[in-house]
Amino acid sequence: MNHLAYLDAGSGSLIVQAVVGGIAGVAVAAKLYWRRLVSRFRRQPTDQS
Amino acid sequence: MVIPDLGRAVWPPARSGTGPRVEPGSFRDPANQVFHAGGDVLRALDETAAAHWRALAGSTFFPQLVAAGKVCGTEELPPGAARELLAVDRLDGTEQRPAWAAVLRHERIPFVSHPYEWSYAMLRDAALLHLEILRVALPAGFTTKDGSAYNLQWRGSQPVFIDVGSFAPLREGEPWAGYRQFCQTLLYPLLLGAHLGLDFQPWLRARIDGIEADQMSGLLRGLRRLSPGVLTHVHLHRSVQRRNAARSTADVRAQLRDAGYTRQMALATVRGMEKLVRRLDHRPPASHWVDYQRTCGYSGADRAGKERFVTAALTGARRSRLVLDLGANDGHYSRLAARHADYVVAVEQDPAVVDRLYLALRDADERRVLPLVLDLADPSPGGGWRGVERASFVARTGADTVLALALVHHLAIGRNVPLPEVVACLAGYAAPGGRLVVEFVHPDDPMAVRLLANKPDGIFPDYRRDAFEALLQGCGSVEDRLELPSGTRTLYQVTLGG
Ligand SMILES: C[S@@+](CC[C@H](N)C(=O)[O-])C[C@H]1O[C@@H](n2cnc3c(N)ncnc32)[C@H](O)[C@@H]1O
């Protein structure tokens, strides 16, 4: 169990902090979304087979 | 989340009770629990929290924050003393939870207040302190588990971070878990004032978890989107929340870590928010009370007599630990009282007046006068879980001395409160055997005449000096009285319950 997380930090509230965390933070948010996108495309062919 | 057995807490607290009592506002984080025992404020920690505490106590930043008065004074009790102070059955594991592993004792905050009783500048300074604490904790490898306005209290005009249980080691690659709470209970209320000119107090009073991004985004449309902080912390925040509502925070934390999130980014966020919060300002519309000292119509002789009377009341008997100055306005008498008492709470309904008073007290670094926004005709009710998580104003009173100077006519005439009710209410704010120092403005005084002019003739037949005196005699013994030289105001000192 993540002992730190007694509070629901909110998934969106976590991501936004990358966006407001300077240029490097924006890059992290972009990378996160890019990876989500890529993994969706990767999954699709196997889903169809 | 495990909610400890709040039902066993004794409420309302027996004032003389010595057994440990669970603080009803401390249950959300099961890793620690605040108790009151005798006059002490104790915090019990579970195994993990105790390890975190020891790491914190061994850090360099934490003792510095305590020494600067920014975090409340805290010490760990030796195990023996801890067991004596806390009921043994809570420690020995008879409940379905492991025994507490350590007990801390905290400095006592002289008067607990809630964020909806603070003025704008107070909320802003509280927010800045929270951010500062996070800014110095992060490089040392610590974070705070939450970001609530309720983590803060006051020593007079100095904000203090009280939730020592909130510190925990930082996990590399994770953003601040308290950001959402910070937005909801601190940043958004400040935006309401700065960008919409609204007083935040009613919003926070009505919603224990603060204002949500969803609600804020509805209020800040059109060009207001471009106001500082709105596009990112409100609109973007809300849309990212919506898009990620189905994802768990555990997944998102892992994704952020994999994408390379670092504590430098967390620091940049905190710095950005500090810069934003410092820019936010709200001047509540100035009411005529702001100018009261110029327009109040006291002659120099009246004022001198009143000051002497109040001073004598405060110095004549046992030193007061707590003085309530009701209808404090610019705090003239609060500051006078602070010279002869341990702590003064200056209660005033007008947010603009309290804001000015706070800034003046802050400039003077006054640690013994706490200004609060509160309408005595509608004092803070109990709030939160079971209505006791945030204690009502009435439950927090019990002053040694209550000052009610040039106030009674506002309640009796201005708010139509029957005179016996006014007297009973004022007396009720004092502890048994306490003192009431009260000024009665006669019906022919210009200020009373002005208030009466707005009401139909003769609807306050009881608003007379003799009726008022009879009521005072009914609740104690009148030790002293003084008619001011102008002849339209009388001061009384009453020992209550006599
Ligand atoms: C006439 S001034 C007195 C100020 C100061 N006590 C003195 O004697 O110089 C009255 C003050 O009481 C405040 N007041 C009036 N009604 C109040 C209420 N219901 N709750 C809190 N404050 C109130 C007003 O805003 C004003 O600042």
Side-chain angles (χ1 to χ4, degrees):
Chain A
M1 190 188 90
N2 183 350
H3 204 82
L4 265 183
Y6 87 90
L7 186 74
D8 180 358
S11 301
S13 305
L14 292 172
I15 297 173
V16 167
Q17 291 181 73
V19 183
V20 296
I23 296 170
V26 174
V28 164
K31 195 162 164 189
L32 178 147
Y33 277 107
W34 174 251
R35 287 187 172 182
R36 282 186 186 173
L37 202 71
V38 168
S39 74
R40 194 179 304 166
F41 278 117
R42 283 222 188 98
R43 233 182 297 129
Q44 260 172 7
T46 45
D47 286 350
Q48 283 161 1
S49 66
Chain B
M1 188 182 80
V2 185
I3 297 182
D5 183 8
L6 283 180
R8 288 221 268 134
V10 187
W11 194 267
R15 284 195 205 277
S16 57
T18 48
R21 176 174 65 79
V22 174
E23 160 57 48
S26 156
F27 63 86
R28 297 197 185 231
D29 181 359
N32 69 109
Q33 166 86 71
V34 174
F35 295 85
H36 302 274
D40 285 326
V41 181
L42 306 177
R43 184 186 296 271
L45 307 174
D46 73 5
E47 204 74 57
T48 317
H52 292 168
W53 155 252
R54 283 170 195 143
L56 186 69
S59 71
T60 43
F61 84 98
F62 180 77
Q64 282 170 3
L65 285 174
V66 173
K70 292 176 177 178
V71 173
C72 77
T74 303
E75 59 175 7
E76 182 172 346
L77 296 181
R83 212 156 294 129
E84 254 172 52
L85 277 162
L86 280 190
V88 183
D89 71 324
R90 286 205 75 95
L91 284 171
D92 70 4
T94 48
E95 289 191 27
Q96 299 284 303
R97 43 186 295 142
W100 298 116
V103 177
L104 309 181
R105 177 173 32 217
H106 289 306
E107 155 200 0
R108 249 190 112 74
I109 295 298
F111 190 92
V112 170
S113 60
H114 306 314
Y116 42 87
E117 297 166 339
W118 304 344
S119 78
Y120 192 84
M122 289 173 82
L123 193 75
R124 186 180 51 207
D125 284 349
L128 286 172
L129 177 63
H130 205 317
L131 292 171
E132 179 190 340
I133 282 169
L134 193 59
R135 169 164 50 74
V136 300
L138 287 172
F142 281 87
T143 185
T144 62
K145 293 192 238 180
D146 45 28
S148 163
Y150 294 90
N151 286 343
L152 300 137
Q153 283 294 334
W154 297 86
R155 244 185 246 120
S157 62
Q158 184 191 38
V160 192
F161 187 90
I162 57 157
D163 192 2
V164 172
S166 173
F167 287 99
L170 177 71
R171 291 176 171 228
E172 208 51 70
E174 288 191 3
W176 184 27
Y179 169 75
R180 179 165 74 163
Q181 218 177 25
F182 183 89
C183 287
Q184 293 187 180
T185 61
L186 287 158
L187 182 61
Y188 296 163
L190 291 170
L191 294 180
L192 275 188
H195 301 331
L196 293 159
L198 295 175
D199 286 325
F200 67 85
Q201 291 88 353
W203 296 72
L204 282 189
R205 169 162 154 177
R207 312 182 61 95
I208 188 142
D209 293 326
I211 313 164
E212 270 148 33
D214 249 342
Q215 298 171 308
M216 283 302 284
S217 65
L219 292 167
L220 293 163
R221 296 199 170 282
L223 281 180
R224 289 211 174 91
R225 285 169 192 271
L226 304 178
S227 305
V230 174
L231 221 40
T232 46
H233 294 291
V234 178
H235 289 286
L236 182 69
H237 192 171
R238 167 186 178 251
S239 70
V240 180
Q241 273 181 348
R242 290 201 161 183
R243 278 164 218 263
N244 287 273
R247 291 180 194 268
S248 77
T249 51
D251 284 352
V252 168
R253 278 194 173 95
Q255 290 173 354
L256 280 164
R257 200 177 304 119
D258 293 346
Y261 189 86
T262 63
R263 77 171 84 169
Q264 272 65 42
M265 295 163 200
L267 266 176
T269 305
V270 172
R271 290 214 183 89
M273 285 200 289
E274 281 185 288
K275 214 164 123 195
L276 167 64
V277 170
R278 256 187 230 112
R279 284 172 72 185
L280 298 176
D281 200 8
H282 168 50
R283 299 258 145 253
S287 69
H288 68 284
W289 287 121
V290 166
D291 240 2
Y292 167 71
Q293 284 311 329
R294 223 170 32 76
T295 57
C296 60
Y298 284 96
S299 70
D302 277 359
R303 206 175 155 100
K306 184 163 159 180
E307 283 175 9
R308 245 180 287 129
F309 189 89
V310 174
T311 306
L314 284 161
T315 51
R318 179 169 46 83
R319 183 181 169 89
S320 290
R321 273 187 305 157
L322 176 66
V323 173
L324 287 180
D325 182 12
L326 306 176
N329 197 266
D330 71 345
H332 180 77
Y333 292 95
S334 304
R335 278 180 270 200
L336 189 150
R339 296 210 280 271
H340 310 290
D342 294 347
Y343 205 70
V344 181
V345 178
V347 173
E348 168 58 50
Q349 67 176 0
D350 186 327
V353 172
V354 179
D355 216 40
R356 280 202 184 193
L357 173 56
Y358 167 68
L359 293 173
L361 294 169
R362 191 185 69 177
D363 284 347
D365 195 25
E366 174 57 78
R367 308 272 173 95
R368 292 186 302 121
V369 179
L370 171 68
L372 293 181
V373 181
L374 192 121
D375 178 358
L376 290 160
D378 182 23
S380 310
W385 181 248
R386 290 196 182 191
V388 297
E389 189 180 347
R390 308 286 171 229
S392 71
F393 177 69
V394 175
R396 284 172 285 150
T397 57
D400 303 296
T401 303
V402 172
L403 300 181
L405 305 172
L407 172 76
V408 169
H409 57 303
H410 291 292
L411 299 171
I413 303 173
R415 307 297 280 269
N416 288 34
V417 182
L419 205 54
E421 270 295 314
V422 175
V423 172
C425 166
L426 298 179
Y429 286 147
R435 247 165 302 160
L436 172 63
V437 181
V438 59
E439 178 177 358
F440 186 72
V441 171
H442 307 176
D444 56 343
D445 178 274
M447 295 294 157
V449 169
R450 204 154 88 185
L451 285 174
L452 284 165
N454 296 323
K455 305 276 161 127
D457 259 353
I459 73 161
F460 300 115
D462 291 343
Y463 191 82
R464 298 186 319 268
R465 186 155 65 147
D466 59 324
F468 186 70
E469 285 185 10
L471 290 167
L472 290 182
Q473 268 143 13
C475 62
S477 60
V478 178
E479 311 283 356
D480 197 6
R481 94 188 62 203
L482 173 74
E483 189 175 308
L484 293 180
S486 64
T488 58
R489 295 172 171 225
T490 309
L491 289 152
Y492 302 88
Q493 181 196 326
V494 185
T495 299
L496 296 162

